Amino acid sequence: MNQTISKAENYFLNTYNRYPIVLKSGEGVYLYDDAGKKYLDFAAGIGVFALGYQNKIYNEALKTQIDQLIHTSNLFYNKPSADAAEKFARVSGMEKVFFTNSGTEAIEGAIKIARKYYFNKTGSPEGEIIAMMHSFHGRSMGALAVTGQPKYQEAFGPMMPNIKFAQFNNLASVKEQINEKTCAILMETIQGEGGLYPATADFLIGVKKLCEEHDLLLMLDEIQCGMGRAGEMFAYQTYGVIPDVITAAKALGCGIPVGAFAAKGKAADVLEPGDHGTTYGYNPLAGAAVDVVLDIYEQTELLAHVKKVSYYLEDELNELVSDYSCVKERRGKGLMQALELDRPVKDIIAKTQELGLIIITAGSNVLRFLPPLVIEKKQIDEMISILKSSLDFVYNKDRN
Ligand SMILES: Cc1ncc(COP(=O)(O)O)c(C=O)c1O
């Protein structure tokens, strides 16, 4: 067995079933393993590396910051994180931002805003949050409690109380869960891990209206679908809905671990000194990453590129739905796409890897496509060609 794999298997906690590939380097939208094999990357480290590997401007900005100052703590200010916060507020429409170290921590922060909002209003800490079935918000205990997938919670109870679950894209189901204790509604604008389901416009607009009617905070998890993946900087901007609280991570730092929760209006001043903290959050290296990422998005007009190529990707994936009887449906928005098959996709994933393509799953029957946002049409063609060969091989040309 490959030495790195056997070392990792010996010493890593056994929480992952990893693919038997040791990645060593990257260039543009391609990754290379330790034997020099090339892979077209349609996963981007689960929606993280939006800019493509070895982006010179990004790498230089990080190197400069490393040579200047990597860490300060939050007892002091630093310019990169202040610049990053200003830009983040501008592109998101939020007013105040807290930088975290991961997505799950951003969710923890959003939950704390919701709870404190209710506490300030009523003097009681018992505010209820409505989250969605089949959602995914992370693995820390608060984020797990709002994740609507019992399989992740089962062994780790009791879960944080006062969380209710409604059906995603079913407004009546959300309405049913609202009572006098409800303080917030939390959902992914596009559900990712749970199978890749975009919110319908009627649903998201309806939920926003319910929040206004009942004085609830609308909290949108944009950790996977944000940062340009859906064609606007944040997926809610494609619906014209303005939330009170958002969470972001993944492509926010494009590889440097950083997340954010941000708030506006009545949610922006809920947390006060002493309410929340972190040693690493607002770290200048992470700040420099967010700052340069947002600059590159703007300077390269990346959102316009995403819109253009994603129509092409959608068309190509739709063709697979008509050509292959085993491919049931395409779902998604922008460069966050999925194909649902009528059977498990495990063998397809293995075959695509053998042929030099990396795609991931979103449930056992769903192939998920999250390429770097700089992906070009010719690389979409390359992906489709490998995927077709894999489908033909695994399903013996089981075409329509
Ligand atoms: C929608 C969503 N929320 C939260 C998370 C958790 O983020 P992290 O893995 O950075 O803690 C993820 C991770 O996949 C996610 O997709």
Side-chain angles (χ1 to χ4, degrees), residues 46 102-105 107 136-138 188 193 221 223-224 249-250:
I46 321 187
S102 65
T104 199
E105 283 173 82
I107 296 291
F136 184 84
H137 297 292
E188 296 154 87
E193 310 291 320
D221 180 347
I223 287 167
Q224 190 166 150
K250 294 197 184 273

Side-chain angles (χ1 to χ4, degrees), residues 220-248:
L220 294 181
D221 180 347
E222 291 263 340
I223 287 167
Q224 190 166 150
C225 61
M227 290 303 295
R229 193 148 284 283
E232 296 293 344
M233 189 59 89
F234 291 97
Y236 55 82
Q237 292 161 338
T238 69
Y239 297 81
V241 164
I242 301 171
D244 303 292
V245 177
I246 65 163
T247 57

Side-chain angles (χ1 to χ4, degrees), residues 7 18 90-91 96 103 159 161 227 229 237 259 271 292 344 371 374:
K7 200 184 284 182
R18 293 180 170 83
R90 179 160 49 77
V91 297
K96 297 282 171 77
M159 287 290 120
M227 290 303 295
R229 193 148 284 283
Q237 292 161 338
L271 295 184
V292 71
V374 293

